[in-house]
């Protein structure tokens, strides 16, 4: 177990109501999943603890926001966590949806108790296939997707959208290779009555245009788009599907849709009906997609007819090494729930050019008369002891998120400029334009927030180095080396630049000087 996990996770033996923690199964940016045992029934369960590392920390056993500014986001997250539990309870009888057994508040946060399932996320399985030089056949893909569509059809009939379908949110059981829909944290209830929200949660590449802003018409077609993209990702072995904005601007410019262009390369290995079905599911325009999961399922089966009776047999032939025995790798290891942003491409962020940050501040609307306004998270710098490993991971995550939002703004602006250049727009195009403008406004606020938090944590680390220089230096140097060994050179370079910044800041005398230097260099 890593030092970061050790510092955040509750220790084995901890009692949470009627459950006792035994070990950590996985850890991600928004929580920790434990293996636990029901004390009276002596049955194993999985317990998901809400602990968003970018805005909360643990003091003893208690989880709390890192600052007053973070409290609103933290409390909102707990509410979404509760909604996830309510939805899973309703769905507990469906074979393709993870089952919720219990939910409770404790230690300042919330816990979701689920069935303990053994297997792997689809994302990890696809990674294993890529490493082994194998790919799934058309029949195997259909056999995997059809049960997922059955699960979606059920939740849609209950008035719920998942809104975050992707390989990391599909869990495949080892025992019978059954795919399960997991992570309903972004799910939306009563979408038919209440369609619009101020902040639409989404994963770039898997989210259609209507999910990017506050004016999109959400429906079953929204989840269908994500499933279509997931098939595209499996077929092409490309882990970064083209975003809806990029696809839209290409089409508006009279160029070939990049999703279509890439999928056409695989016509020889897949039938035309299968490719057409996939492209229909992930069509840019809502009206061009399947309107229900059942329609999508029917089209998939017709593209390569296999009976329901054969589905299970087809799935069981899927293994990374091509041998029988199930879709799951022979020796699965617990996989942490990954953050979306850690896989994004992060450019070097520690720049010496003050002009760049000035331009960025103008673009994203930062208006600070006093540079210390960026460092309001006093609770961070006042913490007696900082977990260095944990802090630099959080800074990386925050900067990655800011980079992701910046990239979305750039891609959205390209589409916006193209749409505006067309002159008079019809009602549908005008609506799409408003969606993109609203999305950019939201992203600018998110950039500001993430830069602020990263800056505050960098200042805290520099203050920690003044107290324990060797501890900070050694920890970061080990972090640089370990990420480089794993082949994550970009992340290793980030940690190296961050270390240089912390050293430079530590040498300064006044807090104002330190804040000014961080603001100058910590940018995207």
């Amino acid at each position: 177990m890593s030092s970061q996990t050790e510092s955040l996770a509750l220790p084995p033996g901890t009692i949470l109501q009627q459950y006792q923690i035994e070990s950590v199964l996985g850890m991600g940016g928004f929580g920790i999943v434990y293996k636990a045992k029901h004390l009276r029934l002596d049955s194993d369960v999985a317990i998901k603890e809400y602990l968003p590392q970018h805005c909360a920390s643990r003091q003893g056993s208690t989880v709390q926001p890192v600052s007053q500014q973070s409290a609103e986001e933290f409390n909102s997250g707990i509410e979404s966590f509760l909604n996830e539990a309510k939805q899973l309870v309703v769905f507990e009888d469906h074979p393709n949806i993870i089952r919720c057994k219990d939910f409770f508040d404790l230690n300042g946060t919330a816990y979701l108790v689920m069935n303990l399932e053994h297997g792997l996320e689809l994302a990890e399985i696809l990674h294993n296939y890529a490493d082994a030089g194998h790919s799934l056949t058309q029949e195997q893909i259909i056999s995997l997707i059809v049960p997922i569509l059955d699960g979606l059809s059920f939740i849609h009939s209950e008035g719920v959208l998942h809104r975050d379908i992707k390989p990391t949110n599909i869990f495949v059981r080892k025992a019978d290779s059954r795919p399960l829909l997991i992570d309903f944290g972004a799910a939306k209830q009563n979408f038919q009555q209440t369609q619009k929200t101020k902040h639409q949660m989404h994963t770039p590449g898997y989210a259609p245009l209507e999910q990017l802003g506050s004016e999109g018409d959400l429906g079953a077609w929204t989840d269908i788009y994500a499933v279509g993209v997931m098939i595209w990702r499996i077929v092409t072995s490309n882990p970064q599907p083209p975003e809806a904005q990029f696809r839209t601007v290409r089409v508006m410019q009279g160029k070939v849709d990049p999703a279509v262009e890439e999928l056409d390369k695989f016509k020889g290995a897949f039938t035309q009906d299968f490719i057409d079905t996939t492209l229909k599911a992930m069509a840019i325009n809502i009206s061009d997609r399947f309107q229900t999961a059942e329609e999508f399922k029917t089209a998939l089966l017709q593209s390569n007819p296999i009976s329901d009776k054969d589905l299970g047999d087809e799935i069981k032939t899927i293994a990374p090494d091509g041998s029988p025995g199930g879709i799951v790798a022979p020796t699965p290891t617990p996989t942490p729930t990954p953050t979306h942003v850690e896989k994004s491409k992060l450019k070097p962020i520690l720049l010496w050019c003050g002009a760049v940050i000035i331009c960025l501040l103008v673009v994203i609307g930062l208006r600070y008369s006093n540079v210390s306004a960026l460092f309001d998270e006093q609770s961070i710098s006042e913490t007696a002891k900082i977990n260095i490993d944990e802090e630099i991971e959080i800074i990386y995550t925050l900067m990655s998120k800011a980079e992701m939002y910046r990239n979305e703004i750039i891609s959205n602006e390209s589409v916006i400029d193209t749409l505006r250049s067309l002159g008079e727009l019809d009602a549908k195009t005008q609506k799409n334009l408003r969606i993109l403008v609203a999305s950019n406004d939201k992203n600018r606020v998110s950039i500001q927030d993430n830069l602020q938090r990263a800056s505050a944590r960098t200042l805290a680390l520099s203050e920690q180095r003044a107290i324990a220089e060797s501890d900070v230096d050694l920890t970061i140097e080990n972090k640089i080396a370990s990420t480089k060994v794993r082949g994550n050179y970009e992340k290793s370079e980030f940690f190296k630049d961050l270390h240089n910044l912390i050293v430079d800041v530590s040498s300064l005398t006044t807090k104002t000087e330190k804040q000014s230097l961080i603001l100058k260099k910590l940018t995207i």
Side-chain angles (χ1 to χ4, degrees), residues 338-455:
T339 60
H340 310 323
V341 294
E342 192 166 59
K343 295 181 180 178
S344 64
K345 294 184 177 178
L346 184 64
K347 298 178 180 178
I349 67 166
L350 302 175
L351 305 178
W352 290 93
C353 182
V356 174
I357 183 61
I358 293 173
C359 291
L360 177 63
L361 294 179
V362 172
V363 171
I364 66 176
L366 291 175
R367 295 293 184 268
Y368 289 103
S369 58
N370 188 338
V371 78
S372 64
L374 279 174
F375 300 84
D376 288 336
E377 296 189 19
Q378 295 299 321
S379 60
I380 297 176
S381 59
E382 293 170 0
T383 301
K385 185 176 181 180
I386 296 173
N387 185 296
I388 304 162
D389 186 285
E390 174 186 335
E391 287 299 303
I392 64 175
E393 282 286 354
I394 292 175
I395 292 171
Y396 177 80
T397 298
L398 290 168
M399 295 305 299
S400 297
K401 289 175 68 177
E403 170 96 358
M404 178 187 70
Y405 293 129
R406 194 281 303 270
N407 289 340
E408 285 191 22
I409 287 176
I410 293 173
S411 62
N412 285 351
E413 288 294 347
S414 297
V415 181
I416 290 170
D417 290 344
T418 300
L419 293 179
R420 286 174 173 166
S421 69
L422 297 176
E424 188 174 350
L425 306 175
D426 58 26
K428 186 175 182 180
T429 306
Q430 288 177 352
K431 184 173 185 178
N432 286 339
L433 181 60
R434 290 195 300 271
I435 290 173
L436 293 174
V437 171
S439 177
N440 273 4
D441 291 341
K442 181 190 71 172
N443 287 338
R444 291 184 182 106
V445 173
S446 298
I447 289 175
Q448 172 185 327
D449 183 56
N450 283 281
L451 287 177
Q452 173 181 333
R453 294 176 182 177
S455 299

Side-chain angles (χ1 to χ4, degrees), residues 40-73:
R40 293 186 178 182
L41 301 179
D42 196 33
S43 59
D44 292 332
V45 298
I47 298 182
K48 181 179 178 182
E49 178 185 45
Y50 177 66
L51 203 169
Q53 297 173 41
H54 64 285
C55 68
S57 62
R58 192 189 301 281
Q59 300 293 330
S61 61
T62 302
V63 176
Q64 58 188 26
V66 295
S67 69
Q68 185 175 0
Q69 183 180 6
S70 301
E72 181 179 355
E73 180 181 354

Side-chain angles (χ1 to χ4, degrees), residues 249-309:
V249 73
R250 285 285 294 270
V251 172
M252 288 292 184
Q253 292 172 340
K255 299 178 181 178
V256 179
D257 182 340
V260 177
E261 188 175 33
E262 183 69 16
L263 201 58
D264 279 346
K265 298 176 183 178
F266 297 85
K267 284 185 176 180
F270 300 89
T271 67
Q272 188 62 51
D273 284 346
F274 178 78
I275 290 177
D276 290 344
T277 298
T278 302
L279 291 175
K280 181 177 175 65
M282 58 186 297
I284 295 174
N285 293 324
I286 292 174
S287 59
D288 293 333
R289 292 179 220 150
F290 297 106
Q291 299 299 292
T292 68
E294 282 298 320
E295 287 181 18
F296 189 6
K297 172 184 172 180
T298 299
L300 270 181
L301 292 174
Q302 289 176 346
S303 71
N304 192 96
I306 52 176
S307 67
D308 290 339
K309 181 179 179 181

